Amino acid sequence: MVTTTFRIGGDLRVGRLGFGAMHLPTEPAPDRANALAVVRRAVELGVTLIDTAYMYGWGANEELLAEALHPYPEGLLVTTKVGVARPKGEWALDGRPEALRAQVDQALTRLRTERVELLQLHRVDPQVPLADQIGALRDLRAAGKIGRIGLSEVSVDELAEARGITDIASVQNRYNLLDREYEPVLAACEQAGIAFLPWRPVAWGAAGARAEIAAVAAETDATPTQVALAWLLGHSPVILPIPGTASIEHLEENLAATGLRLTPDQRDRLDWLPAGD
């Protein structure tokens, strides 16, 4: 049986199918009005996990979410990410403790909150010792500014090193039905009970082109996107997909995947992908 909720960090309960806010436009109306409507509709439909980052519009995405949802409904988790900066007009990694502290303070202001319940390191900065980066986040947690620490785009070894410094509640790596490069990281998360938030949970444009996915979609009267999301939800109980969209129609399509149940035969056929079609 596929579970519908997960407790991040062992205590923060969220629905397993979240919403990635990266694709929401932050420009003036009418695009902004549509973006506000999409994220509000997501919450109306029961989404309790929304993912954003400083890098998404360099703070504009966080401000958009606050405009749409503040004061936040009880039980809603808005998680953001730090560690990427734009010092000379182009993005660059910046895991210096002072930079992480400043970005967290700025995120708190933009999100209109005193505490981010899940704060993720967007990328590990190879120029800064990982212990310094994780240590800065650990100190921010001790100060009450963040509740739980997550990582993004990490290897098994980096995850293990970080866990040797402090508790890690989540990992956000690229992963989908047709891209399973980080299967070892997922396995490590599953063993430790760590939430795994796959970004790009659907292979854009590719899912419907694979014959097996299209066949399962036809058998279940679903879309290839719904099949891909349902596969993720059934693949591991720690997976929390965060599909993003700027369309209410696509949002509703994505969330309907929670009601799609794949048979053992269908799942077995999909499990062989992406090795063969």
Side-chain angles (χ1 to χ4, degrees):
M1 180 178 179
V2 177
T3 58
T4 58
T5 63
F6 184 85
R7 294 185 183 273
I8 299 177
D11 63 341
L12 188 59
R13 183 178 180 182
V14 297
R16 286 185 57 209
L17 190 56
F19 176 76
M22 180 178 69
H23 299 293
L24 293 176
T26 57
E27 294 80 9
D31 289 342
R32 188 178 186 86
N34 177 71
L36 294 171
V38 169
V39 72
R40 287 168 179 158
R41 180 60 176 156
V43 174
E44 288 176 359
L45 292 173
V47 168
T48 54
L49 168 60
I50 296 179
D51 174 82
T52 184
Y54 169 58
M55 185 181 180
Y56 305 161
W58 307 110
N61 198 269
E62 294 170 328
E63 293 174 339
L64 177 79
L65 293 179
E67 180 181 342
L69 301 173
H70 191 272
Y72 301 109
E74 184 177 355
L76 176 65
L77 169 64
V78 177
T79 173
T80 192
K81 298 181 285 293
V82 298
V84 178
R86 190 173 53 170
K88 297 180 180 179
E90 296 184 3
W91 76 273
L93 302 180
D94 193 348
R96 295 171 301 145
E98 60 270 26
L100 297 178
R101 288 192 292 267
Q103 286 193 14
V104 168
D105 284 340
Q106 293 160 7
L108 293 173
T109 298
R110 287 190 291 265
L111 290 170
R112 307 181 199 175
T113 186
E114 296 180 352
R115 174 181 166 110
V116 175
E117 290 299 337
L118 176 62
L119 190 285
Q120 301 174 98
L121 182 65
H122 208 151
R123 294 289 187 276
V124 173
D125 185 346
Q127 304 302 317
V128 179
L130 182 60
D132 291 351
Q133 299 175 68
I134 301 301
L137 300 182
R138 180 190 57 198
D139 293 344
L140 287 164
R141 185 180 60 195
K145 294 186 176 182
I146 64 179
R148 295 153 195 81
I149 298 170
L151 305 172
S152 181
E153 285 299 283
V154 292
S155 65
V156 170
D157 289 343
E158 289 169 332
L159 174 58
E161 182 180 351
R163 293 185 65 212
I165 300 168
T166 192
D167 294 335
I168 299 299
S170 70
V171 167
Q172 187 169 333
N173 281 20
R174 188 190 69 251
Y175 187 88
N176 59 61
L177 177 57
L178 299 179
D179 181 357
R180 307 182 206 174
E181 175 185 351
Y182 289 110
E183 192 80 39
V185 179
L186 170 59
C189 288
E190 186 171 325
Q191 184 176 16
I194 295 171
F196 186 89
L197 284 63
W199 65 269
R200 196 177 293 170
V202 176
W204 298 321
R210 298 297 290 262
E212 203 61 70
I213 301 174
V216 172
E219 293 165 11
T220 56
D221 194 25
T223 66
T225 293
Q226 290 170 336
V227 169
L229 291 172
W231 179 86
L232 281 172
L233 291 169
H235 186 57
S236 170
V238 305
I239 288 183
L240 281 64
I242 46 172
T245 180
S247 160
I248 288 182
E249 180 182 359
H250 290 158
L251 168 71
E252 294 175 347
E253 174 189 340
N254 291 343
L255 295 180
T258 59
L260 178 59
R261 296 293 179 262
L262 303 176
T263 67
D265 172 70
Q266 290 166 339
R267 184 164 294 283
D268 184 63
R269 286 150 56 194
L270 295 173
D271 283 345
W272 283 97
L273 299 171
D277 198 347

